[in-house]
C-alpha cells in the first residue's frame, strides 16, 4: 500500500473510531453498548480459537517435552541409581546372613568334635593349579597352617592341606580322584577307604566283604597317625547305594558327601586335634531322631502343664497302692503294733479277728442255729 494522503486520513479515522469505542465501553460499564457485538464476536471466534488450540497444543507439548527431557533423564538416572543401591544392600544382607549361618554351623561342628580350628575363606578354585579339585584359602603359615592338616566346614570333611604359603594355602578336596581317607561306619565300626570320583560322590571300599551295610548308613573319618592328615570323627557322608558283587575281597559302596564342593565359602583348618576320639558325636541328628525328640518334648510339656501322662502315672501308682488282696485290709502295713498279740497293725490280723467275731455271733443267733 502506497503512503498517500488518503491512506493517512484512513489511519487517523480508524484510530479515532477505536478511541471512541474504548471511551464508550469504559463509560458504559456493565451497560456498555458494545456488550452485544462483543458476545457475537465471542460466539463466532470461540470455535475457531478452540480448533486452532487443538492443532497447536501437540506442537507446544512436544517443544515442552524436549525442553524438559534433560531434567527427566537426570531423575530417571537418580532413581536407577537408588534402585541399584537397594538391590546391592539386599544382596549384602543375604550374603551376610548366609556367612553367619556357615560360621555358626562350623563352630558347632568344631565344638562337637573338640577340634581347634583356624577359620579361612575360599578365595580361588583350582584352575591355576592343574586339573585337580583344589581350592585356595586366605590363611597360611603365619596363621598356624601346615601341610597335611584336615579341612572341614559346618557340614563335614572338605579335604586336606597340600601346599602352604605365608598367607595362603591349597586344599585338595575330598571329591578329587587322587584323594583317599580312612572311614568308619557308624554303629558297626566297619572300616574302609573313601576315594573321590571327581563329582559329588565318593567310592568307599569296606575291608569286610560281608559287612552289613545299607542305604542311609553314615561314615566318619577313622583318623590318621598323629592326627595327620586326618583327625577322627569328621562326618564324611551317607551311603546311597551298595555294590552286591560277590567274590571280591572288599565291598564297595557309594557315598554322598555331606559337603557341597561347588558351594564352598568359609572353611576351618584343624590345627589342634581332639584329645579323645569323638567317634559318632559330630554326626548330625537323623530326621527321625529329631522328630522323636520333638514328640518327647511335647509329651513332657503336656504332662507338666495339663497333668497328662505324669499325672496318670501318679494316679495309677496311687491306685495300685490302695488296692488290697483277698483277706487283706486296705492300708495294712504288716508291722507289729507292740501289743503282743502278733497281729500288729496288719490288715490281715484285723480281718481275721473280725471273721472270728462274726462266727461267734452266728453261733449265738438262734435263727442261725436252727
Amino acid at each position: 500500500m502506497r503512503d498517500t494522503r488518503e491512506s493517512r486520513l484512513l489511519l487517523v479515522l480508524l484510530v479515532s473510531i477505536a478511541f471512541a469505542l474504548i471511551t464508550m465501553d469504559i463509560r458504559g460499564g456493565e451497560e456498555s453498548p458494545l456488550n452485544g457485538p462483543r458476545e457475537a464476536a465471542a460466539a463466532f471466534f470461540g470455535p475457531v480459537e478452540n480448533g486452532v488450540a487443538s492443532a497447536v497444543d501437540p506442537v507446544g507439548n512436544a517443544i515442552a517435552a524436549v525442553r524438559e527431557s534433560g531434567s527427566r533423564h537426570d531423575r530417571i538416572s537418580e532413581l536407577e541409581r537408588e534402585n541399584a543401591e537397594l538391590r546391592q544392600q539386599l544382596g549384602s544382607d543375604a550374603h551376610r546372613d548366609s556367612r553367619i549361618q556357615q560360621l555358626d554351623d562350623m563352630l558347632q561342628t568344631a565344638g562337637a568334635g573338640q577340634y581347634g580350628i583356624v577359620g579361612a575363606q575360599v578365595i580361588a578354585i583350582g584352575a591355576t593349579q592343574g586339573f585337580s579339585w583344589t581350592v585356595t584359602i586366605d590363611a597360611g603359615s603365619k596363621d598356624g597352617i601346615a601341610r597335611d592338616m584336615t579341612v572341614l566346614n559346618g557340614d563335614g570333611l572338605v579335604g586336606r592341606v597340600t601346599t602352604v604359603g605365608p598367607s595362603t594355602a591349597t586344599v585338595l578336596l575330598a571329591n578329587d580322584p587322587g584323594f583317599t581317607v580312612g572311614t568308619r561306619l557308624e554303629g558297626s565300626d566297619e572300616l574302609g577307604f573313601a576315594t573321590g570320583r571327581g563329582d559329588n560322590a565318593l567310592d568307599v571300599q569296606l575291608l569286610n566283604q560281608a559287612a552289613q551295610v545299607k542305604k542311609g548308613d553314615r561314615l566318619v573319618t577313622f583318623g590318621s597317625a598323629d592326627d595327620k592328615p586326618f583327625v577322627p570323627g569328621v562326618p564324611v557322608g551317607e551311603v546311597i547305594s551298595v555294590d552286591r558283587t560277590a567274590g571280591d575281597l572288599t565291598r564297595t559302596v557309594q557315598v554322598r558327601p555331606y559337603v557341597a564342593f561347588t558351594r564352598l565359602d568359609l572353611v576351618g583348618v584343624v590345627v589342634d586335634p581332639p584329645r579323645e576320639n569323638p567317634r559318632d558325636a559330630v554326626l548330625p541328628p537323623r530326621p527321625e531322631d529329631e522328630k522323636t525328640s520333638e514328640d518327647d518334648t511335647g509329651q513332657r510339656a503336656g504332662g507338666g502343664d495339663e497333668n497328662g501322662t505324669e499325672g496318670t502315672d501318679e494316679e495309677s501308682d496311687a491306685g495300685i497302692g490302695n488296692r488290697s488282696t483277698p483277706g487283706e485290709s486296705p492300708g495294712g502295713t504288716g508291722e507289729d503294733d507292740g501289743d503282743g498279740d502278733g497281729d500288729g497293725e496288719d490288715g490281715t490280723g484285723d480281718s481275721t479277728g473280725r471273721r472270728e467275731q462274726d462266727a461267734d455271733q452266728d453261733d449265738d443267733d438262734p435263727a442261725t442255729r436252727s
Side-chain angles (χ1 to χ4, degrees):
M1 184 177 179
R2 295 176 59 187
D3 185 12
T4 61
R5 183 178 179 182
E6 290 79 5
S7 61
R8 292 178 183 177
L9 291 174
L10 179 60
L11 178 61
V12 173
L13 179 60
L14 293 175
V15 171
S16 300
I17 294 174
F19 275 109
L21 293 175
I22 292 172
T23 303
M24 290 174 59
D25 187 40
I26 293 175
R27 289 183 177 181
E30 295 181 358
E31 301 296 333
S32 173
L34 298 179
N35 286 339
R38 183 182 293 112
E39 292 176 357
F44 176 77
F45 289 107
V48 177
E49 290 176 350
N50 291 335
V52 173
S54 299
V56 174
D57 281 347
V59 179
N61 292 336
I63 295 174
V66 173
R67 187 177 300 156
E68 297 175 357
S69 62
S71 60
R72 290 184 179 180
H73 179 72
D74 294 340
R75 178 57 178 165
I76 291 174
S77 300
E78 182 180 356
L79 291 175
E80 289 178 347
R81 184 173 59 256
E82 292 178 356
N83 190 19
E85 291 177 354
L86 289 175
R87 288 186 177 181
Q88 183 178 5
Q89 182 178 358
L90 291 175
S92 299
D93 292 343
H95 180 63
R96 181 191 60 200
D97 294 342
S98 174
R99 300 195 72 184
I100 291 175
Q101 185 62 46
Q102 291 182 54
L103 181 60
D104 184 63
D105 293 343
M106 185 170 64
L107 291 177
Q108 288 185 6
T109 299
Q114 298 299 309
Y115 307 126
I117 64 172
V118 171
Q121 180 182 0
V122 175
I123 58 175
I125 58 176
T128 60
Q129 303 161 11
F131 298 98
S132 300
W133 285 78
T134 57
V135 294
T136 301
I137 58 176
D138 61 351
S141 57
K142 294 190 295 185
D143 304 292
I145 309 299
R147 180 182 171 88
D148 287 336
M149 284 185 171
T150 307
V151 183
L152 51 79
N153 66 3
D155 298 321
L157 180 67
V158 173
R160 62 181 176 87
V161 177
T162 56
T163 305
V164 181
S167 58
T168 61
T170 301
V171 178
L172 181 67
L173 301 181
N175 66 334
D176 185 86
F179 185 96
T180 301
V181 57
T183 61
R184 182 177 54 79
L185 197 64
E186 178 190 18
S188 66
D189 291 340
E190 293 288 352
L191 303 182
F193 293 97
T195 304
R197 298 177 17 161
D199 55 8
N200 198 30
L202 306 175
D203 285 335
V204 177
Q205 288 187 341
L206 298 176
L207 301 182
N208 182 7
Q209 196 274 339
Q212 297 297 321
V213 58
K214 63 183 182 301
K215 183 178 179 180
D217 287 346
R218 305 184 296 179
L219 297 97
V220 297
T221 57
F222 177 72
S224 307
D226 298 328
D227 297 310
K228 287 187 177 183
F230 301 108
V231 294
V234 181
V236 175
E238 184 174 309
V239 176
I240 55 176
S241 66
V242 180
D243 186 2
R244 301 293 181 180
T245 303
D248 294 338
L249 297 178
T250 60
R251 190 168 195 178
T252 302
V253 297
Q254 287 189 5
V255 173
R256 180 180 63 247
Y258 289 121
V259 174
F261 299 105
T262 58
R263 297 196 305 269
L264 292 174
D265 185 12
L266 298 181
V267 298
V269 182
V270 180
V271 294
D272 292 324
R275 295 181 179 179
E276 296 181 357
N277 189 341
R279 301 188 66 79
D280 303 330
V282 191
L283 283 170
R286 293 181 181 273
E288 55 268 22
D289 295 339
E290 292 181 343
K291 183 177 180 180
T292 303
S293 177
E294 292 176 358
D295 293 342
D296 293 342
T297 303
Q299 291 178 0
R300 288 195 297 270
D305 295 339
E306 301 179 1
N307 296 327
T309 305
E310 295 180 0
T312 303
D313 294 338
E314 292 174 1
E315 292 173 2
S316 177
D317 293 339
I320 293 173
N322 290 331
R323 287 197 299 268
S324 58
T325 59
E328 181 175 296
S329 175
T333 62
E335 296 179 357
D336 192 352
D337 58 359
D339 58 1
D341 58 3
D343 59 341
E345 295 180 356
D346 183 42
T348 304
D350 294 342
S351 178
T352 303
R354 284 196 296 268
R355 286 199 299 270
E356 292 176 353
Q357 183 179 2
D358 292 340
D360 294 340
Q361 291 177 357
D362 290 342
D363 293 339
D364 296 337
D365 190 352
T368 304
R369 289 196 300 271
S370 62

